[in-house]
Amino acid sequence: MLMLASIYVVNAVAQVSVKTGTVRPTATLIDEWGKQGSEERSARFDHLFNQMSVNPNAKAYVFLYCGRKCRYGEIEAHIRGIEIKIGLRKFERSRIAIVNAGYRESFSVEVWLVPEGAGFPEPRPTVNIRYVTFTRA
């Protein structure tokens, strides 16, 4: 059985300032996904760590979006899981920002690679908190 993953290849992307003509690198969305099993999620973070190893001055931003139906503590549990993965891989924690990014129709994750000198990505929530139902586990 052939299994395909939707992992994006990092391309060197840059913005050119019209006024000065200087090239400024930009953040790149390298992966995004919804709810997944632990093995698939682990493979995606391994891909992130590999990309960061190839780009030693880059930082990563992991945006976590809770769904329209959100369990209390859901995002915090995902954050703890990511921090455990970072620790197990002995990866430099200061290079990865994990952000509670708001709400979308369903749980989702965005992973951004930010080269040195690039601006930081902004979260892109699509659902206002007023329309979110919070539940207990």
Side-chain angles (χ1 to χ4, degrees):
M1 175 194 292
L2 179 62
M3 201 164 117
L4 300 174
S6 61
I7 296 178
Y8 300 101
V9 177
V10 176
N11 294 321
V13 177
Q15 290 179 333
V16 178
S17 170
V18 175
K19 290 182 181 179
T20 64
T22 58
V23 176
R24 181 174 182 220
T26 58
T28 304
L29 179 65
I30 63 169
D31 202 359
E32 58 185 324
W33 65 87
K35 287 205 184 268
Q36 295 191 327
S38 60
E39 288 182 20
E40 178 70 22
R41 199 171 43 244
S42 182
R44 289 176 180 271
F45 277 101
D46 286 340
H47 174 72
L48 170 63
F49 298 146
N50 289 336
Q51 290 298 319
M52 293 184 74
S53 294
V54 171
N55 300 285
N57 295 323
K59 294 189 183 281
Y61 280 74
V62 179
F63 291 154
L64 301 170
Y65 299 92
C66 211
R68 192 178 280 270
K69 291 183 182 177
C70 184
R71 288 187 328 269
Y72 288 110
E74 182 175 350
I75 294 298
E76 293 78 5
H78 285 287
I79 291 171
R80 281 191 304 274
I82 294 167
E83 288 178 340
I84 288 169
K85 177 71 174 171
I86 293 168
L88 289 172
R89 283 288 304 267
K90 299 183 182 352
F91 209 82
E92 189 178 337
R93 176 65 177 89
S94 64
R95 292 183 61 203
I96 302 174
I98 306 168
V99 180
N100 181 343
Y103 305 92
R104 289 194 171 170
E105 287 299 319
S106 59
F107 173 81
S108 63
V109 178
E110 290 181 342
V111 179
W112 292 81
L113 190 66
V114 183
E116 188 173 33
F120 302 113
E122 293 287 329
R124 302 177 297 179
T126 59
V127 174
N128 188 296
I129 192 170
R130 290 182 294 192
Y131 304 108
V132 175
T133 302
F134 293 93
T135 61
R136 300 200 187 280

